[in-house]
Amino acid sequence: MKQQSYVGRFAPSPSGLLHYGSLVTATASYLQAKHNDGQWLLRIEDIDPPREISGATDDILFTLERFEFEWDQAPLYQSTRLEQYRSVINNLVRLDQVYACSCSRKDLANDIQKSELGKRYPGTCANKKLDTTDASFNLRLRTENKNITFQDATYGEIAHNLFKEIGDIIVYRKFDIPSYALAVTVDDAYQGITEVVRGFDLLAFTPVQIYLSQQIQLPIPRFLHIPIIVNERGQKLSKQTGAAAVAIRNRSTVLIQALNDLGQLVPKKLESEPIKQIWSWAIKHWNVDNIPKTKQIYMS
Ligand code: GLU
């Protein structure tokens, strides 16, 4: 059997239908995996039920199918992994790397410094030894005063000092909801992901994933971030900014547009070809160096 060393993934949250920005991310991660003879996995990030839209998961999978993406295993649903996240946290609690925090947003409102990573938690509860089994508390991971540095395939070297910029990080939210950071970190390792391809909006978050991987002693994948697609007002396409679901009519045109936005030099004749031919051209000619190194791309 052929050794498959590259494993990539697309990890949509079912908080809305698949919009054009997500299609571009899916396309980049798919092509990067397939061009490298790798596997491409799907993960449905459904751990935040209040933000989910009923039917969104089915719609996302249906749209990906119509665009003829081929995933190599059944999708992994994060909602089936809650026990695993909990057990990782319990270990960190035992090592005193994670502590309970009773601060509300209101408590912190006056006390907060802001950085590129968000608001800094000043460590109010770090030594209070509050009950970590009390579900009304958030759980925070202690951070260290050191730079976390990594090499992004598009944007080059990125460094953040988590302790100075955001302080101790929430890894479990009250009422038993694992944080995005925890679930992504644990599952990228569980699925054996070798390279994470995702939008620029998560670039500054990546040192958190790296730090968490170090604390849990998990392998650290490589990272390739791509520009995000924005509307004419410069806002990221999302449910909140009213992005439309990707149209499954004119699929070839939409896929060609995604390839163009990713800087690929698509030959004119491909425009009238069926999806299958477009994929086979794109897998063969995918060139990661052509991805624009800008933060965002205006949707045309
Ligand atoms: N689930 C996240 C989203 O839909 C993406 C997470 C990731 O790619 O790491 O924005």
Side-chain angles (χ1 to χ4, degrees):
M1 204 175 94
K2 191 160 154 199
Q3 180 81 22
Q4 287 204 311
S5 50
Y6 186 103
V7 186
R9 51 69 158 183
F10 176 56
S13 306
S15 52
L17 307 180
L18 194 86
H19 55 71
Y20 177 68
S22 308
L23 182 81
V24 170
T25 306
T27 301
S29 67
Y30 186 61
L31 290 174
Q32 177 69 348
K34 292 298 149 189
H35 181 76
N36 286 293
D37 276 336
Q39 293 189 57
W40 188 68
L41 309 184
L42 278 185
R43 183 167 77 228
I44 305 296
E45 304 214 312
D46 54 349
I47 43 169
D48 197 356
R51 291 188 54 225
E52 276 156 35
I53 293 193
S54 118
T57 297
D58 288 346
D59 181 85
I60 291 169
L61 294 176
F62 175 77
T63 307
L64 293 173
E65 257 171 43
R66 297 308 307 273
F67 275 86
E68 299 180 39
F69 285 89
E70 291 175 6
W71 42 99
D72 292 289
Q73 289 174 20
L76 178 69
Y77 289 81
Q78 288 192 320
S79 55
T80 64
R81 306 253 312 135
L82 300 178
E83 268 172 44
Q84 280 79 1
Y85 308 140
R86 190 75 230 183
S87 117
V88 167
I89 285 302
N90 289 345
N91 278 336
L92 293 174
V93 165
R94 236 171 274 132
L95 299 167
D96 192 36
Q97 280 164 291
V98 162
Y99 63 86
C101 168
S102 61
C103 298
S104 65
R105 275 192 203 158
K106 221 157 114 218
D107 292 337
L108 297 171
N110 298 326
D111 215 4
I112 235 94
Q113 306 163 23
K114 283 192 185 149
S115 76
E116 201 189 331
L117 298 190
K119 297 174 176 169
R120 182 174 188 277
Y121 177 65
T124 321
C125 295
N127 297 311
K128 285 191 184 162
K129 301 205 177 314
L130 298 173
D131 180 2
T132 53
T133 62
D134 184 330
S136 66
F137 296 155
N138 290 313
L139 298 180
R140 288 187 186 267
L141 175 70
R142 296 182 199 279
T143 48
E144 290 164 26
N145 188 357
K146 64 172 191 192
N147 265 351
I148 305 279
T149 307
F150 74 100
Q151 202 61 36
D152 184 75
T154 309
Y155 300 100
E157 185 173 295
I158 309 290
H160 285 285
N161 180 317
L162 301 180
F163 178 78
K164 285 194 181 153
E165 294 179 58
I166 40 166
D168 297 343
I169 307 155
I170 294 185
V171 281
Y172 230 91
R173 301 202 331 249
K174 54 181 145 190
F175 309 125
D176 221 21
I177 303 178
S179 70
Y180 156 73
L182 176 72
V184 161
T185 305
V186 170
D187 287 344
D188 278 337
Y190 174 69
Q191 292 188 288
I193 304 303
T194 57
E195 183 175 62
V196 169
V197 178
R198 63 186 170 202
F200 178 85
D201 53 321
L202 291 166
L203 183 72
F205 156 80
T206 298
V208 172
Q209 177 164 358
I210 292 173
Y211 180 68
L212 249 170
S213 306
Q214 291 167 343
Q215 300 310 301
I216 313 170
Q217 298 180 348
L218 295 175
I220 299 169
R222 296 188 300 278
F223 293 93
L224 187 167
H225 289 81
I226 62 166
I228 51 167
I229 306 292
V230 295
N231 63 21
E232 68 287 354
R233 275 166 291 162
Q235 299 163 319
K236 184 187 174 214
L237 299 190
S238 71
K239 194 183 73 178
Q240 289 74 17
T241 59
V246 96
I248 53 171
R249 277 181 300 124
N250 305 328
R251 291 191 291 286
S252 295
T253 313
V254 176
L255 184 55
I256 298 269
Q257 185 187 349
L259 292 170
N260 282 326
D261 281 344
L262 288 164
Q264 307 304 300
L265 308 170
V266 183
K268 194 98 193 98
K269 68 170 177 25
L270 215 59
E271 286 171 18
S272 49
E273 299 281 338
I275 292 274
K276 211 175 179 50
Q277 266 61 45
I278 300 176
W279 279 132
S280 92
W281 178 88
I283 291 170
K284 186 149 170 240
H285 295 93
W286 170 246
N287 186 346
V288 90
D289 296 333
N290 287 354
I291 298 174
K293 292 178 174 37
T294 53
K295 297 178 184 171
Q296 53 188 45
I297 292 174
Y298 283 88
M299 192 175 168
S300 48

PDB file of all heavy atoms in Angstrom, residues 76-89:
ATOM      1  N   LEU A  76     -15.605  13.335  10.964  1.00  0.00           N
ATOM      2  CA  LEU A  76     -15.539  13.226  12.424  1.00  0.00           C
ATOM      3  C   LEU A  76     -16.400  14.348  13.015  1.00  0.00           C
ATOM      4  O   LEU A  76     -16.226  15.521  12.652  1.00  0.00           O
ATOM      5  CB  LEU A  76     -14.085  13.386  12.884  1.00  0.00           C
ATOM      6  CG  LEU A  76     -13.865  13.334  14.397  1.00  0.00           C
ATOM      7  CD1 LEU A  76     -14.123  11.923  14.928  1.00  0.00           C
ATOM      8  CD2 LEU A  76     -12.439  13.769  14.761  1.00  0.00           C
ATOM      9  N   TYR A  77     -17.309  13.985  13.903  1.00  0.00           N
ATOM     10  CA  TYR A  77     -18.173  14.979  14.555  1.00  0.00           C
ATOM     11  C   TYR A  77     -17.615  15.261  15.942  1.00  0.00           C
ATOM     12  O   TYR A  77     -17.502  14.349  16.767  1.00  0.00           O
ATOM     13  CB  TYR A  77     -19.612  14.444  14.664  1.00  0.00           C
ATOM     14  CG  TYR A  77     -20.306  14.387  13.324  1.00  0.00           C
ATOM     15  CD1 TYR A  77     -20.078  13.328  12.444  1.00  0.00           C
ATOM     16  CD2 TYR A  77     -21.156  15.412  12.929  1.00  0.00           C
ATOM     17  CE1 TYR A  77     -20.691  13.298  11.199  1.00  0.00           C
ATOM     18  CE2 TYR A  77     -21.776  15.385  11.681  1.00  0.00           C
ATOM     19  CZ  TYR A  77     -21.543  14.325  10.823  1.00  0.00           C
ATOM     20  OH  TYR A  77     -22.141  14.301   9.593  1.00  0.00           O
ATOM     21  N   GLN A  78     -17.303  16.525  16.202  1.00  0.00           N
ATOM     22  CA  GLN A  78     -16.728  16.840  17.523  1.00  0.00           C
ATOM     23  C   GLN A  78     -17.705  16.549  18.658  1.00  0.00           C
ATOM     24  O   GLN A  78     -17.286  16.270  19.771  1.00  0.00           O
ATOM     25  CB  GLN A  78     -16.276  18.302  17.563  1.00  0.00           C
ATOM     26  CG  GLN A  78     -15.023  18.509  16.719  1.00  0.00           C
ATOM     27  CD  GLN A  78     -14.362  19.849  16.954  1.00  0.00           C
ATOM     28  OE1 GLN A  78     -15.053  20.848  17.099  1.00  0.00           O
ATOM     29  NE2 GLN A  78     -13.050  19.878  16.958  1.00  0.00           N
ATOM     30  N   SER A  79     -19.004  16.580  18.362  1.00  0.00           N
ATOM     31  CA  SER A  79     -19.984  16.307  19.431  1.00  0.00           C
ATOM     32  C   SER A  79     -19.858  14.874  19.954  1.00  0.00           C
ATOM     33  O   SER A  79     -20.387  14.559  21.016  1.00  0.00           O
ATOM     34  CB  SER A  79     -21.398  16.571  18.923  1.00  0.00           C
ATOM     35  OG  SER A  79     -21.618  15.817  17.755  1.00  0.00           O
ATOM     36  N   THR A  80     -19.158  13.996  19.228  1.00  0.00           N
ATOM     37  CA  THR A  80     -18.981  12.613  19.712  1.00  0.00           C
ATOM     38  C   THR A  80     -17.706  12.486  20.556  1.00  0.00           C
ATOM     39  O   THR A  80     -17.362  11.391  20.987  1.00  0.00           O
ATOM     40  CB  THR A  80     -18.857  11.613  18.527  1.00  0.00           C
ATOM     41  OG1 THR A  80     -17.651  11.938  17.790  1.00  0.00           O
ATOM     42  CG2 THR A  80     -20.057  11.697  17.603  1.00  0.00           C
ATOM     43  N   ARG A  81     -16.991  13.583  20.770  1.00  0.00           N
ATOM     44  CA  ARG A  81     -15.657  13.494  21.366  1.00  0.00           C
ATOM     45  C   ARG A  81     -15.569  14.185  22.733  1.00  0.00           C
ATOM     46  O   ARG A  81     -14.482  14.413  23.250  1.00  0.00           O
ATOM     47  CB  ARG A  81     -14.651  14.137  20.400  1.00  0.00           C
ATOM     48  CG  ARG A  81     -14.712  13.571  19.000  1.00  0.00           C
ATOM     49  CD  ARG A  81     -13.550  12.700  18.654  1.00  0.00           C
ATOM     50  NE  ARG A  81     -12.306  13.312  19.002  1.00  0.00           N
ATOM     51  CZ  ARG A  81     -11.299  12.671  19.626  1.00  0.00           C
ATOM     52  NH1 ARG A  81     -11.419  11.405  19.964  1.00  0.00           N
ATOM     53  NH2 ARG A  81     -10.179  13.293  19.913  1.00  0.00           N
ATOM     54  N   LEU A  82     -16.731  14.487  23.314  1.00  0.00           N
ATOM     55  CA  LEU A  82     -16.718  15.288  24.539  1.00  0.00           C
ATOM     56  C   LEU A  82     -15.952  14.611  25.681  1.00  0.00           C
ATOM     57  O   LEU A  82     -15.238  15.265  26.441  1.00  0.00           O
ATOM     58  CB  LEU A  82     -18.153  15.627  24.960  1.00  0.00           C
ATOM     59  CG  LEU A  82     -18.935  16.431  23.889  1.00  0.00           C
ATOM     60  CD1 LEU A  82     -20.365  16.690  24.326  1.00  0.00           C
ATOM     61  CD2 LEU A  82     -18.238  17.744  23.553  1.00  0.00           C
ATOM     62  N   GLU A  83     -16.079  13.291  25.756  1.00  0.00           N
ATOM     63  CA  GLU A  83     -15.367  12.590  26.842  1.00  0.00           C
ATOM     64  C   GLU A  83     -13.856  12.718  26.709  1.00  0.00           C
ATOM     65  O   GLU A  83     -13.135  12.839  27.703  1.00  0.00           O
ATOM     66  CB  GLU A  83     -15.709  11.096  26.825  1.00  0.00           C
ATOM     67  CG  GLU A  83     -16.872  10.778  27.711  1.00  0.00           C
ATOM     68  CD  GLU A  83     -17.323   9.340  27.531  1.00  0.00           C
ATOM     69  OE1 GLU A  83     -16.450   8.443  27.470  1.00  0.00           O
ATOM     70  OE2 GLU A  83     -18.541   9.138  27.440  1.00  0.00           O
ATOM     71  N   GLN A  84     -13.392  12.672  25.461  1.00  0.00           N
ATOM     72  CA  GLN A  84     -11.946  12.800  25.235  1.00  0.00           C
ATOM     73  C   GLN A  84     -11.450  14.185  25.656  1.00  0.00           C
ATOM     74  O   GLN A  84     -10.412  14.325  26.294  1.00  0.00           O
ATOM     75  CB  GLN A  84     -11.590  12.574  23.760  1.00  0.00           C
ATOM     76  CG  GLN A  84     -11.510  11.111  23.349  1.00  0.00           C
ATOM     77  CD  GLN A  84     -12.873  10.482  23.121  1.00  0.00           C
ATOM     78  OE1 GLN A  84     -13.914  11.123  23.238  1.00  0.00           O
ATOM     79  NE2 GLN A  84     -12.871   9.197  22.802  1.00  0.00           N
ATOM     80  N   TYR A  85     -12.216  15.223  25.297  1.00  0.00           N
ATOM     81  CA  TYR A  85     -11.779  16.582  25.682  1.00  0.00           C
ATOM     82  C   TYR A  85     -11.729  16.692  27.205  1.00  0.00           C
ATOM     83  O   TYR A  85     -10.822  17.262  27.782  1.00  0.00           O
ATOM     84  CB  TYR A  85     -12.734  17.657  25.125  1.00  0.00           C
ATOM     85  CG  TYR A  85     -13.002  17.568  23.627  1.00  0.00           C
ATOM     86  CD1 TYR A  85     -14.284  17.796  23.124  1.00  0.00           C
ATOM     87  CD2 TYR A  85     -11.979  17.284  22.732  1.00  0.00           C
ATOM     88  CE1 TYR A  85     -14.540  17.726  21.759  1.00  0.00           C
ATOM     89  CE2 TYR A  85     -12.236  17.209  21.365  1.00  0.00           C
ATOM     90  CZ  TYR A  85     -13.513  17.423  20.891  1.00  0.00           C
ATOM     91  OH  TYR A  85     -13.777  17.340  19.550  1.00  0.00           O
ATOM     92  N   ARG A  86     -12.756  16.123  27.825  1.00  0.00           N
ATOM     93  CA  ARG A  86     -12.851  16.199  29.298  1.00  0.00           C
ATOM     94  C   ARG A  86     -11.651  15.490  29.934  1.00  0.00           C
ATOM     95  O   ARG A  86     -11.072  15.965  30.901  1.00  0.00           O
ATOM     96  CB  ARG A  86     -14.179  15.544  29.703  1.00  0.00           C
ATOM     97  CG  ARG A  86     -14.587  15.712  31.124  1.00  0.00           C
ATOM     98  CD  ARG A  86     -15.092  17.108  31.410  1.00  0.00           C
ATOM     99  NE  ARG A  86     -14.426  17.643  32.593  1.00  0.00           N
ATOM    100  CZ  ARG A  86     -14.677  18.815  33.135  1.00  0.00           C
ATOM    101  NH1 ARG A  86     -15.578  19.620  32.610  1.00  0.00           N
ATOM    102  NH2 ARG A  86     -14.035  19.212  34.200  1.00  0.00           N
ATOM    103  N   SER A  87     -11.288  14.355  29.364  1.00  0.00           N
ATOM    104  CA  SER A  87     -10.215  13.600  29.995  1.00  0.00           C
ATOM    105  C   SER A  87      -8.859  14.316  29.826  1.00  0.00           C
ATOM    106  O   SER A  87      -8.033  14.305  30.744  1.00  0.00           O
ATOM    107  CB  SER A  87     -10.237  12.151  29.479  1.00  0.00           C
ATOM    108  OG  SER A  87      -9.084  11.836  28.802  1.00  0.00           O
ATOM    109  N   VAL A  88      -8.669  14.989  28.699  1.00  0.00           N
ATOM    110  CA  VAL A  88      -7.449  15.787  28.520  1.00  0.00           C
ATOM    111  C   VAL A  88      -7.398  16.885  29.582  1.00  0.00           C
ATOM    112  O   VAL A  88      -6.360  17.142  30.214  1.00  0.00           O
ATOM    113  CB  VAL A  88      -7.421  16.398  27.089  1.00  0.00           C
ATOM    114  CG1 VAL A  88      -6.357  17.469  26.981  1.00  0.00           C
ATOM    115  CG2 VAL A  88      -7.197  15.314  26.050  1.00  0.00           C
ATOM    116  N   ILE A  89      -8.545  17.531  29.798  1.00  0.00           N
ATOM    117  CA  ILE A  89      -8.589  18.617  30.778  1.00  0.00           C
ATOM    118  C   ILE A  89      -8.341  18.095  32.187  1.00  0.00           C
ATOM    119  O   ILE A  89      -7.621  18.698  32.973  1.00  0.00           O
ATOM    120  CB  ILE A  89      -9.950  19.351  30.692  1.00  0.00           C
ATOM    121  CG1 ILE A  89      -9.955  20.218  29.457  1.00  0.00           C
ATOM    122  CG2 ILE A  89     -10.238  20.196  31.928  1.00  0.00           C
ATOM    123  CD1 ILE A  89      -8.847  21.243  29.407  1.00  0.00           C
TER     124      ILE A  89
END
